[in-house]
Amino acid sequence: MRRLELEAEYWRLLAAGVGSVEACSQLGTGCKTGYRWRAENGGLKPDYLPEASRSGRMVSRHVV
């Protein structure tokens, strides 16, 4: 898995209620990596993650 995909999965796990240590364990990364990802983004999920990590749902607005 590429780094951005791994990080995206980390954030998905956190959003699902999994703790940082457990998320890192499930992904096979060190806890320091998870804490670094959180620190780099102020604890918020970054906007630059790959599309695969985002919902497949699209919002369409039709103007009539």
Side-chain angles (χ1 to χ4, degrees):
M1 205 182 287
R2 292 186 341 208
R3 181 193 177 275
L4 283 179
E5 292 167 347
L6 193 64
E7 185 177 351
E9 183 64 14
Y10 170 80
W11 287 104
R12 189 192 66 74
L13 288 169
L14 289 186
V18 176
S20 184
V21 173
E22 179 61 25
C24 290
S25 176
Q26 288 183 26
L27 296 172
T29 64
C31 293
K32 288 184 180 182
T33 300
Y35 289 127
R36 180 174 44 85
W37 286 335
R38 289 180 71 175
E40 287 173 351
N41 296 293
L44 302 174
K45 181 179 176 182
D47 293 331
Y48 59 81
L49 294 176
E51 288 295 322
S53 69
R54 298 184 185 153
S55 167
R57 296 173 44 185
M58 298 288 289
V59 176
S60 176
R61 184 182 305 179
H62 295 333
V63 178
V64 179

